[in-house]
Amino acid sequence: MSARSRIAQIGCGRIGQVHLRNLFAYPERCELAALVDANEPALTSIAADYRLTNISTDPSIVFDDPTIDGVIIASSTETHAAYIIEAARSGKSVFTEKPIALDLESTDRALAAVDETGTRLQVGFQRRFDRGYAAARQAIENGDLGAIEMIRDAMRDPAPPPLAYLEKSGGLYRDMTIHNFDCVRWLMGDDPVELFAMGSALTGDDIVAANDIDTSIVSMRFPDGSLASIENSRRSGFGYDVRTEVFGSKGALHVGDSRQTPVRRYDASGVREDHQYFFLERFRDAYEAEILSFLQAVIDDTDVAVTGADGRAALRLAIMAESSRQSGRPVVASEFPSEIEIEPLSRMIISA
Amino acid sequence: MSARSRIAQIGCGRIGQVHLRNLFAYPERCELAALVDANEPALTSIAADYRLTNISTDPSIVFDDPTIDGVIIASSTETHAAYIIEAARSGKSVFTEKPIALDLESTDRALAAVDETGTRLQVGFQRRFDRGYAAARQAIENGDLGAIEMIRDAMRDPAPPPLAYLEKSGGLYRDMTIHNFDCVRWLMGDDPVELFAMGSALTGDDIVAANDIDTSIVSMRFPDGSLASIENSRRSGFGYDVRTEVFGSKGALHVGDSRQTPVRRYDASGVREDHQYFFLERFRDAYEAEILSFLQAVIDDTDVAVTGADGRAALRLAIMAESSRQSGRPVVASEFPSEIEIEPLSRMIISA
Amino acid sequence: MSARSRIAQIGCGRIGQVHLRNLFAYPERCELAALVDANEPALTSIAADYRLTNISTDPSIVFDDPTIDGVIIASSTETHAAYIIEAARSGKSVFTEKPIALDLESTDRALAAVDETGTRLQVGFQRRFDRGYAAARQAIENGDLGAIEMIRDAMRDPAPPPLAYLEKSGGLYRDMTIHNFDCVRWLMGDDPVELFAMGSALTGDDIVAANDIDTSIVSMRFPDGSLASIENSRRSGFGYDVRTEVFGSKGALHVGDSRQTPVRRYDASGVREDHQYFFLERFRDAYEAEILSFLQAVIDDTDVAVTGADGRAALRLAIMAESSRQSGRPVVASEFPSEIEIEPLSRMIISA
Amino acid sequence: MSARSRIAQIGCGRIGQVHLRNLFAYPERCELAALVDANEPALTSIAADYRLTNISTDPSIVFDDPTIDGVIIASSTETHAAYIIEAARSGKSVFTEKPIALDLESTDRALAAVDETGTRLQVGFQRRFDRGYAAARQAIENGDLGAIEMIRDAMRDPAPPPLAYLEKSGGLYRDMTIHNFDCVRWLMGDDPVELFAMGSALTGDDIVAANDIDTSIVSMRFPDGSLASIENSRRSGFGYDVRTEVFGSKGALHVGDSRQTPVRRYDASGVREDHQYFFLERFRDAYEAEILSFLQAVIDDTDVAVTGADGRAALRLAIMAESSRQSGRPVVASEFPSEIEIEPLSRMIISA
């Protein structure tokens, strides 16, 4: 009989339900020990479907249960840091959705708790578990591309989120580009020394009301002179779009279009293919792989693949980008204060 | 709380384990009530991993349990028909891997049992649940392609199976092409009136020893004059290959290449992509969808999507193809006897 | 100063104008010495545009001019054989559009004249000069694919030609499939030992009036057991379609879709690409390359790349296919009479 | 008889020979009246091949011949402006390879001469005549993409040029990126208001010796808030790479990979395609189309498609980019002096 871990989950919204499905599909690695959500009707309904009985709106059923090995945190962003701290103090392994927090101070408190208690923390940068991105990283490590000279990393959402979401999002760079920052620094194997951000608000009144941007290009220089460009948009018109191109001295590698089906339709107007519309579809396998990776780390008592330090580093780049955009100037990493000096977006900073 | 079905599974080999994983991932639709396999050590090991207790090498634990709603039959081919009959007589819904049997007589006995008892039988032609093939069928039904004029359906395995498999397989047409026969008649919405098969043994001694072929082209004519071509090979050199092209008066639709990742690698030798190597990978989602469809039919007490009659029709075409190949002549469907007249492959016909 | 050849052209219709353009683009290899066409107004207009003065409706200006090295024959099919004979007897190299003739007897007379006079004859199977098909042939010769096991060769026209064309075309197999027959035997490096043809008339009254078919599948077996399938249609609904797949023991090679531009359009309905509509577009470069190859053979006094024997062999396969279709039986090549026994299509056989 | 123009060409190096071939292929539109090149042996050899007699190393045979309608300037960059001025003063239409000059002052003198004499000047931004880019522009004009929000335009050369070329090139932005600047402003239909350039020298000693860069990202903001990113590299490792993505509120359009052949090779290592290696191959048709467009403007006495003002605007952006890169600061277009203030690259500025 294989070893398996007892896992609790906090939060069963959209992404939480993705995790639940994946946990159930691997009974040999995981037993779902408890489910918590602040929304009681939703919790009750989902628990009934899944025949779960150890449920509560109170997360203490997780933290007070010594038989629970690990916690999946899929609750709203402003709760992440506090739950990480409680989980760490109760000796449990933690998987948290990104970001740890919207500010470095809260992030640092959470990381300190993990550090002090010697538990493990995995941050939900699922892209690293996508087979395409994993192949890109492997090719770079193998030296297949030679010396990396440039990375272009683009991500677009199908349509802008509602104002209510935008107001709590932390802004484009902390909410969306943070995935690109993690991806680029992971592929580069380094942090940038300089960064310049250019942004615009093109999609309408909500973005302006949130004091945010929806369209952005961030360029970065790395210690060895290699460059990177990140493109983002809150609106694509054609569905979720994530694509990354890595250029090296010996060749290039593109992580490109992802299709729903291998169907091509030919008619008088040409040839048509479909396109994945949503990130949950694009990264379905990656969400499964990241949870399996976390479970394996818990079972084997080993390091996680994406650390809290990774989460902090990506957040810091997001804050640097926001600073660059607001000042209209490049930001030099070595001169950037650990005390954050950017103008907060209206209603943006939320204490943990 | 959603309704869910109590499902037993017989057989936990390669394809059985695929079904098990999918059953566990949907606890709101299914409770795994029993697991049976003739191989006791394998059964014990898998059951331990999944924490299953109601297990046996004796399938009577399934047929004698009135609380079980449905049975997944994933055991070896020669057992299918007998288990279908027992399951039908105990009033259970049945999902069986293809084929129902290697001969029409056994098939007809199984179908008669299902018919008499009024249960339901779904045959595991998983391709119909692939999103690409489902889109093809939908486009045809919508009239997007106009009148269908030709279908080309190709399937290749990465490498020939071992002699032991070949000897029990029923030959290329019953073992492999049967999927193409189902696919083409499903897409055409009709059965062919004429069929011609040309085959060769090119991969080596095993195929010759099994009195079988490994390379084949079957051409078919349908009542409205439309044509179809099926290509098969037991060896591709590059992995599993399934691709289908439908040509109509207004356009065409191809179900084409399927890749592991959306990665393109550029170097001095050109551009490289990956390719799926195995059918389990290509049809992973289809295997999930066919089981979900079966569970839904059980829960909702509705018809299944792929019937026993479909299984029989595809088998009949396979037998006609074998007859054409052996005689070197086209076969006219209306003149083909229900009594099968082909020379049996050596050691090929196995009673249920 | 490079050597160049003095070339005359007979016929300046659609394909003739393609050749003219290519001849002019390479003044270092060719001087256009004379232009002949039966249609005087068309000839006069084109000659004026190109500033050509040595023109006539009478081809004797070509055959009687000892300074002319070679002749491009792009006139109507029924004139090819006679012009080849006259050109050969006047000692000129000949490039002729396919087919040499619609019957083997005329073909053999033309080949005999070439043989007796020791001139050279190139047949316009332009596909062999397409970079895609040339790469396929090269890969096969290199052994990249291992032993060739199957070829699938498909060609579709955008829309059926008018009745007037159909009546003089020689039927689908001699007019259209002849390209596929040449391509398959060239790639296989061999001639088939057995052939079976299945055809239908699906596009309407004209095809029926011409006693012809518009949709066909031909399957063939080669001496080593390898198989081939040829698909044709007179109607695609989406433009010209030519694609070929070669399968070997070590891998496969596809000559696939050909696009007008590398543009992909993304919107809510998916992704769209364009598609070449016409064979002149698809094989534009091949038409240039075949003429350059012919010019080079004339200048260097070497063999041509596609011989009269190739033209005859493809025609014979076309006649075998027509015979198989009409009889509903496979045709064995070794038993097929050199005296052709097929029923002539109505008004189909045209003496040279 | 169609009207045709009498055209002279100055320069018969690599790109000059491309133009020559295209001029000869259209005898109905153009008569080649004279050929000039400073390299007498090369000139003599090429003229002999093409049977041209009116040749000289002295361009006055062009400017002094009143029967010549137009001049193709394909000589070295430092001669362009002076030849444009002479051609304009002798009343001839001019097609010049890019750039007009490496500095704005020389450019302005050339444009003034064209303006004063009322002749026409077309600049060789051939990309605009590529069918892919033309389709992109048309889609934007049609409103297919909605409001344009971002453009990403990437161009990479297979390998860095030799030092001798680099020293006379004017630097990456004037030599290479100038094509991207033209392309982006043409697609946007506007000029940027702000620009930021980040560059590195990664390919070795030659680039450093030339005081140049080989890797660059330029980001730009346009008056309506839309953004653009230009990526360049002097080294790709896999061949010439040009690709452009246009993102709008309703969808996107990519001008993507361009292949030599539609061949896909399948083997155990995956699937391989080829890739065009050189810009002459990628833009072969565009070079033909731009010359045909120029000839037509001469014949019809109409405006050219790419004007001297376009050439000047692209050069100004290149100079702004060089300034931004050297200062490490964004450049605001409205504040950028017409007097150029950048540090000249060593040995870079060449008087016309």
Side-chain angles (χ1 to χ4, degrees):
Chain A
M1 190 182 303
S2 60
R4 66 175 181 175
S5 52
R6 280 176 55 80
I7 300 294
Q9 184 169 310
I10 305 177
C12 57
R14 187 175 63 183
I15 190 70
Q17 290 176 51
V18 172
H19 294 320
L20 274 183
R21 180 81 64 209
N22 289 326
L23 293 170
F24 275 107
Y26 292 89
E28 73 276 36
R29 301 205 203 174
C30 158
E31 177 185 12
L32 195 72
L35 182 64
V36 172
D37 197 284
N39 179 336
E40 187 159 16
L43 173 67
T44 306
S45 165
I46 287 168
D49 274 359
Y50 284 74
R51 269 70 184 174
L52 292 170
T53 51
N54 190 26
I55 64 172
S56 176
T57 57
D58 179 356
S60 62
I61 66 163
V62 174
F63 304 123
D64 294 349
D65 182 344
T67 73
I68 290 175
D69 302 307
V71 186
I72 312 283
I73 301 177
S75 49
S76 57
T77 293
E78 75 272 15
T79 65
H80 291 179
Y83 288 160
I84 292 167
I85 292 168
E86 287 198 65
R89 291 185 180 158
S90 62
K92 303 188 193 318
S93 297
V94 183
F95 174 94
T96 184
E97 276 304 313
K98 66 89 204 169
I100 296 170
L102 291 175
D103 63 295
L104 288 178
E105 191 188 358
S106 306
T107 301
D108 286 340
R109 279 200 303 269
L111 298 195
V114 171
D115 196 46
E116 287 159 16
T117 57
T119 55
R120 63 176 58 77
L121 170 63
Q122 180 172 333
V123 178
F125 289 135
Q126 88 288 347
R127 255 208 228 184
R128 296 196 188 192
F129 296 91
D130 175 70
R131 292 206 288 180
Y133 284 94
R137 167 68 186 247
Q138 194 61 54
I140 293 169
E141 281 183 20
N142 293 351
D144 295 349
L145 308 180
I148 303 308
E149 298 177 347
M150 198 185 296
I151 292 179
R152 178 256 182 154
D153 189 29
M155 184 162 62
R156 289 172 168 85
D157 274 338
L163 180 55
Y165 179 94
L166 288 171
E167 286 175 336
K168 300 182 68 174
S169 71
L172 183 81
Y173 293 125
R174 265 171 281 202
D175 182 54
M176 186 172 180
T177 320
I178 198 165
H179 281 289
N180 303 275
F181 286 125
D182 179 65
C183 185
V184 171
R185 62 183 295 277
W186 176 60
L187 293 176
M188 278 292 192
D190 212 337
D191 279 287
V193 291
E194 186 191 356
L195 174 157
F196 180 76
M198 207 179 242
S200 289
L202 301 176
T203 61
D205 294 343
D206 282 359
I207 289 286
V208 175
N211 197 22
D212 201 358
I213 54 172
D214 48 35
T215 310
S216 163
I217 296 171
V218 177
S219 34
M220 295 184 284
R221 185 198 308 276
F222 287 78
D224 62 1
S226 59
L227 306 178
S229 174
I230 295 174
E231 301 162 25
N232 290 283
S233 177
R234 288 286 194 189
R235 165 167 73 185
S236 77
F238 59 90
Y240 184 63
D241 190 40
V242 59
R243 61 183 69 234
T244 304
E245 305 179 7
V246 184
F247 299 92
S249 57
K250 288 163 55 181
L253 183 153
H254 295 199
V255 184
D257 267 352
S258 206
R259 301 164 56 184
Q260 292 182 310
T261 69
V263 168
R264 287 170 67 81
R265 296 165 196 262
Y266 297 72
D267 62 24
S269 72
V271 186
R272 278 177 301 135
E273 299 178 348
D274 56 30
H275 190 271
Q276 290 184 325
Y277 191 76
F278 207 43
F279 73 97
L280 290 177
E281 196 178 9
R282 170 66 181 84
F283 287 116
R284 178 188 150 171
D285 289 351
Y287 283 116
E288 178 176 323
E290 73 172 359
I291 288 296
L292 288 177
S293 173
F294 174 69
L295 295 179
Q296 209 60 49
V298 173
I299 292 168
D300 297 345
D301 194 19
T302 55
D303 290 341
V304 294
V306 192
T307 67
D310 289 324
R312 186 194 196 278
L315 176 65
R316 185 165 188 265
L317 291 175
I319 293 168
M320 284 168 59
E322 184 63 27
S323 174
S324 170
R325 176 182 82 83
Q326 291 188 12
S327 70
R329 295 284 173 100
V331 166
V332 175
S334 61
E335 300 167 5
F336 197 69
S338 50
E339 291 293 313
I340 310 142
E341 294 183 332
I342 64 165
E343 286 292 305
L345 300 187
S346 55
R347 293 163 252 118
M348 192 176 76
I349 302 300
I350 295 150
S351 57
Chain B
M1 191 181 304
S2 61
R4 66 176 182 174
S5 52
R6 279 175 57 78
I7 300 293
Q9 183 169 311
I10 305 177
C12 57
R14 187 176 61 183
I15 189 69
Q17 289 176 51
V18 172
H19 295 318
L20 274 182
R21 180 80 65 208
N22 289 326
L23 293 170
F24 275 108
Y26 293 89
E28 72 275 35
R29 302 206 203 173
C30 157
E31 177 185 12
L32 195 71
L35 182 63
V36 172
D37 197 284
N39 180 336
E40 186 160 15
L43 173 67
T44 306
S45 166
I46 287 167
D49 275 358
Y50 284 75
R51 270 70 183 175
L52 292 169
T53 52
N54 190 26
I55 65 171
S56 176
T57 57
D58 178 358
S60 62
I61 66 162
V62 174
F63 304 124
D64 295 349
D65 182 343
T67 72
I68 290 176
D69 302 307
V71 187
I72 311 283
I73 301 177
S75 49
S76 58
T77 294
E78 73 273 14
T79 66
H80 291 181
Y83 288 160
I84 292 168
I85 292 168
E86 288 198 64
R89 292 188 178 156
S90 62
K92 302 188 194 317
S93 297
V94 183
F95 174 95
T96 184
E97 275 305 312
K98 65 88 202 169
I100 296 168
L102 291 175
D103 62 295
L104 288 178
E105 191 188 359
S106 305
T107 301
D108 286 340
R109 280 202 302 269
L111 299 194
V114 171
D115 196 46
E116 287 159 14
T117 57
T119 55
R120 62 176 59 78
L121 170 63
Q122 180 172 334
V123 177
F125 288 135
Q126 87 289 346
R127 256 209 227 183
R128 296 196 189 194
F129 296 91
D130 174 69
R131 291 207 288 180
Y133 284 95
R137 167 66 186 247
Q138 194 61 54
I140 293 169
E141 281 183 19
N142 293 350
D144 295 349
L145 307 180
I148 303 309
E149 298 177 347
M150 198 185 296
I151 291 179
R152 179 257 183 153
D153 188 30
M155 183 161 62
R156 288 173 169 84
D157 274 339
L163 180 56
Y165 179 94
L166 288 171
E167 286 174 336
K168 301 182 68 174
S169 71
L172 183 81
Y173 294 125
R174 265 170 281 202
D175 182 53
M176 187 173 180
T177 320
I178 197 166
H179 281 289
N180 303 275
F181 286 125
D182 180 65
C183 185
V184 171
R185 60 184 295 279
W186 175 59
L187 293 176
M188 278 291 193
D190 213 338
D191 278 289
V193 292
E194 186 190 357
L195 175 157
F196 180 76
M198 208 179 243
S200 289
L202 302 175
T203 61
D205 294 343
D206 282 359
I207 289 286
V208 175
N211 196 22
D212 200 357
I213 55 171
D214 48 35
T215 310
S216 164
I217 296 171
V218 177
S219 35
M220 295 185 283
R221 185 198 307 277
F222 287 78
D224 61 1
S226 58
L227 306 177
S229 174
I230 295 175
E231 300 163 26
N232 289 283
S233 177
R234 288 286 195 189
R235 165 168 72 186
S236 75
F238 59 90
Y240 184 63
D241 190 40
V242 59
R243 61 184 70 234
T244 304
E245 305 179 8
V246 184
F247 298 93
S249 56
K250 289 162 55 180
L253 183 153
H254 295 200
V255 184
D257 266 352
S258 206
R259 301 164 56 184
Q260 291 181 310
T261 69
V263 168
R264 285 170 69 79
R265 296 167 197 262
Y266 297 72
D267 62 22
S269 71
V271 186
R272 279 177 300 134
E273 299 178 349
D274 57 29
H275 190 270
Q276 290 184 325
Y277 190 77
F278 208 40
F279 74 97
L280 289 177
E281 196 178 8
R282 170 65 182 84
F283 287 117
R284 178 188 150 172
D285 289 352
Y287 284 115
E288 178 176 323
E290 72 172 0
I291 288 297
L292 288 177
S293 173
F294 174 68
L295 295 179
Q296 209 59 49
V298 173
I299 292 168
D300 297 345
D301 194 19
T302 54
D303 290 342
V304 294
V306 192
T307 67
D310 289 325
R312 186 194 195 278
L315 177 64
R316 185 165 188 265
L317 291 175
I319 292 168
M320 284 168 60
E322 185 62 27
S323 174
S324 170
R325 175 182 84 83
Q326 291 188 13
S327 69
R329 294 284 173 101
V331 166
V332 176
S334 61
E335 300 167 4
F336 197 69
S338 52
E339 292 293 313
I340 310 143
E341 294 183 331
I342 63 165
E343 286 291 303
L345 301 187
S346 57
R347 295 160 251 118
M348 192 175 75
I349 301 297
I350 294 150
S351 57
Chain C
M1 189 182 304
S2 61
R4 67 177 181 174
S5 52
R6 280 176 55 80
I7 300 292
Q9 184 170 311
I10 304 177
C12 57
R14 188 175 62 183
I15 190 70
Q17 290 176 50
V18 172
H19 294 320
L20 273 183
R21 179 82 64 209
N22 290 326
L23 293 170
F24 275 107
Y26 291 89
E28 73 276 36
R29 300 205 205 174
C30 158
E31 176 185 12
L32 195 72
L35 182 63
V36 172
D37 197 283
N39 179 336
E40 187 159 15
L43 173 67
T44 305
S45 165
I46 287 168
D49 274 359
Y50 284 72
R51 269 71 184 175
L52 292 170
T53 51
N54 190 26
I55 64 173
S56 175
T57 57
D58 179 357
S60 62
I61 67 163
V62 174
F63 304 123
D64 294 348
D65 182 344
T67 73
I68 290 175
D69 302 307
V71 186
I72 311 283
I73 301 177
S75 49
S76 56
T77 293
E78 74 272 14
T79 66
H80 291 179
Y83 289 159
I84 292 167
I85 292 168
E86 288 198 65
R89 291 184 180 159
S90 62
K92 302 186 194 321
S93 297
V94 183
F95 174 95
T96 185
E97 275 304 313
K98 64 90 203 167
I100 296 169
L102 291 174
D103 62 296
L104 288 177
E105 191 187 1
S106 306
T107 301
D108 286 341
R109 280 201 303 269
L111 298 195
V114 171
D115 196 46
E116 288 160 15
T117 57
T119 56
R120 62 176 57 78
L121 170 63
Q122 180 172 333
V123 178
F125 288 135
Q126 89 288 346
R127 255 208 227 184
R128 296 197 187 192
F129 296 91
D130 175 70
R131 292 206 288 180
Y133 284 94
R137 168 67 186 246
Q138 194 60 54
I140 293 169
E141 282 183 19
N142 293 350
D144 296 349
L145 308 179
I148 304 308
E149 298 177 347
M150 197 184 298
I151 291 180
R152 178 257 183 154
D153 189 30
M155 183 162 62
R156 290 171 167 85
D157 274 339
L163 180 56
Y165 179 94
L166 289 171
E167 286 175 336
K168 300 183 68 175
S169 70
L172 184 81
Y173 292 126
R174 265 171 280 202
D175 182 54
M176 187 173 179
T177 320
I178 198 165
H179 281 290
N180 303 274
F181 286 124
D182 179 66
C183 184
V184 170
R185 62 184 295 278
W186 175 59
L187 293 176
M188 279 292 193
D190 212 338
D191 279 287
V193 291
E194 186 190 355
L195 174 158
F196 180 76
M198 206 179 244
S200 289
L202 301 176
T203 60
D205 294 343
D206 282 359
I207 289 286
V208 175
N211 196 22
D212 200 358
I213 55 171
D214 48 35
T215 309
S216 163
I217 296 171
V218 177
S219 35
M220 295 184 283
R221 184 198 309 276
F222 287 78
D224 62 0
S226 59
L227 306 178
S229 174
I230 295 174
E231 302 163 25
N232 289 283
S233 177
R234 288 285 194 189
R235 165 167 74 185
S236 77
F238 59 90
Y240 183 63
D241 191 40
V242 59
R243 63 183 70 235
T244 304
E245 305 178 8
V246 184
F247 299 92
S249 57
K250 289 162 55 181
L253 183 154
H254 295 199
V255 184
D257 267 352
S258 206
R259 301 164 57 184
Q260 293 182 309
T261 69
V263 168
R264 287 170 67 81
R265 296 165 197 262
Y266 297 73
D267 62 23
S269 72
V271 186
R272 279 177 300 135
E273 299 178 349
D274 56 30
H275 190 272
Q276 290 184 326
Y277 191 77
F278 207 43
F279 73 96
L280 290 178
E281 196 178 8
R282 170 65 181 83
F283 287 117
R284 178 188 150 171
D285 288 352
Y287 284 117
E288 178 176 324
E290 73 172 0
I291 288 297
L292 288 176
S293 173
F294 174 69
L295 295 179
Q296 209 60 49
V298 174
I299 292 168
D300 297 346
D301 194 19
T302 55
D303 290 341
V304 294
V306 192
T307 67
D310 290 325
R312 187 193 194 280
L315 177 64
R316 186 167 187 265
L317 291 175
I319 292 168
M320 284 168 59
E322 183 63 27
S323 174
S324 171
R325 176 183 82 83
Q326 291 188 12
S327 70
R329 295 284 174 100
V331 166
V332 175
S334 61
E335 300 167 4
F336 197 70
S338 51
E339 291 293 312
I340 309 142
E341 294 182 332
I342 63 166
E343 286 293 304
L345 301 188
S346 57
R347 293 164 252 115
M348 192 176 76
I349 301 299
I350 294 150
S351 57
Chain D
M1 189 181 304
S2 61
R4 67 175 181 175
S5 51
R6 279 176 56 80
I7 300 293
Q9 183 169 311
I10 305 177
C12 57
R14 188 175 62 182
I15 190 69
Q17 289 175 51
V18 172
H19 294 318
L20 273 184
R21 180 80 65 208
N22 289 326
L23 293 169
F24 274 108
Y26 293 89
E28 72 276 36
R29 301 206 203 173
C30 157
E31 177 185 13
L32 195 72
L35 182 63
V36 172
D37 197 283
N39 179 337
E40 186 159 16
L43 173 67
T44 305
S45 167
I46 288 168
D49 274 0
Y50 284 73
R51 270 69 183 176
L52 292 170
T53 52
N54 190 25
I55 64 171
S56 177
T57 57
D58 178 357
S60 62
I61 67 162
V62 173
F63 305 124
D64 294 349
D65 182 344
T67 72
I68 291 176
D69 302 308
V71 186
I72 311 284
I73 301 178
S75 49
S76 57
T77 294
E78 73 273 15
T79 66
H80 291 180
Y83 289 160
I84 292 168
I85 292 168
E86 288 198 64
R89 291 187 179 157
S90 62
K92 301 186 193 322
S93 297
V94 182
F95 174 94
T96 185
E97 276 304 313
K98 65 89 201 168
I100 295 169
L102 291 175
D103 62 296
L104 288 177
E105 191 188 0
S106 305
T107 302
D108 286 340
R109 280 201 303 268
L111 298 194
V114 171
D115 196 46
E116 287 159 15
T117 57
T119 55
R120 61 177 58 78
L121 170 63
Q122 180 172 333
V123 178
F125 288 135
Q126 87 289 347
R127 257 209 226 183
R128 296 196 188 193
F129 295 91
D130 174 69
R131 292 207 288 180
Y133 283 94
R137 167 67 186 248
Q138 194 60 54
I140 293 170
E141 281 183 20
N142 292 351
D144 295 350
L145 308 179
I148 303 309
E149 298 176 348
M150 198 185 295
I151 291 179
R152 179 256 183 153
D153 189 31
M155 183 161 62
R156 288 172 169 85
D157 274 339
L163 180 55
Y165 179 95
L166 288 171
E167 286 175 335
K168 300 182 69 173
S169 71
L172 184 81
Y173 293 126
R174 265 171 280 202
D175 182 54
M176 187 173 180
T177 321
I178 197 165
H179 281 290
N180 303 274
F181 286 125
D182 180 65
C183 185
V184 171
R185 62 184 294 279
W186 175 58
L187 293 176
M188 279 291 192
D190 212 338
D191 279 288
V193 293
E194 187 190 355
L195 174 157
F196 180 76
M198 207 179 244
S200 288
L202 302 175
T203 61
D205 294 342
D206 282 359
I207 289 287
V208 175
N211 197 22
D212 200 357
I213 55 172
D214 47 36
T215 310
S216 163
I217 296 171
V218 177
S219 35
M220 295 184 283
R221 185 197 307 277
F222 287 78
D224 61 0
S226 59
L227 306 178
S229 174
I230 295 175
E231 300 162 26
N232 289 284
S233 178
R234 288 286 194 189
R235 165 167 74 185
S236 77
F238 59 90
Y240 184 62
D241 190 40
V242 59
R243 61 184 70 234
T244 304
E245 305 179 6
V246 185
F247 299 92
S249 56
K250 289 161 57 180
L253 183 153
H254 295 198
V255 184
D257 267 353
S258 205
R259 301 163 56 184
Q260 292 182 310
T261 69
V263 168
R264 286 170 69 79
R265 296 166 197 262
Y266 296 72
D267 63 22
S269 71
V271 186
R272 279 177 300 135
E273 299 178 349
D274 56 29
H275 190 270
Q276 291 184 325
Y277 191 77
F278 208 42
F279 74 96
L280 290 178
E281 197 178 7
R282 171 65 181 84
F283 287 117
R284 179 188 149 170
D285 289 352
Y287 283 116
E288 178 176 323
E290 72 172 1
I291 288 296
L292 287 177
S293 173
F294 174 68
L295 295 179
Q296 210 60 49
V298 173
I299 292 168
D300 297 345
D301 194 19
T302 54
D303 290 342
V304 295
V306 192
T307 68
D310 289 325
R312 186 194 195 280
L315 176 64
R316 185 166 188 265
L317 291 175
I319 293 169
M320 284 168 60
E322 184 62 27
S323 175
S324 170
R325 175 182 82 83
Q326 291 188 11
S327 69
R329 295 284 173 102
V331 166
V332 176
S334 62
E335 298 168 4
F336 197 70
S338 50
E339 292 292 314
I340 310 142
E341 294 183 332
I342 64 165
E343 285 292 303
L345 302 187
S346 58
R347 295 162 252 115
M348 192 177 75
I349 301 299
I350 293 150
S351 57

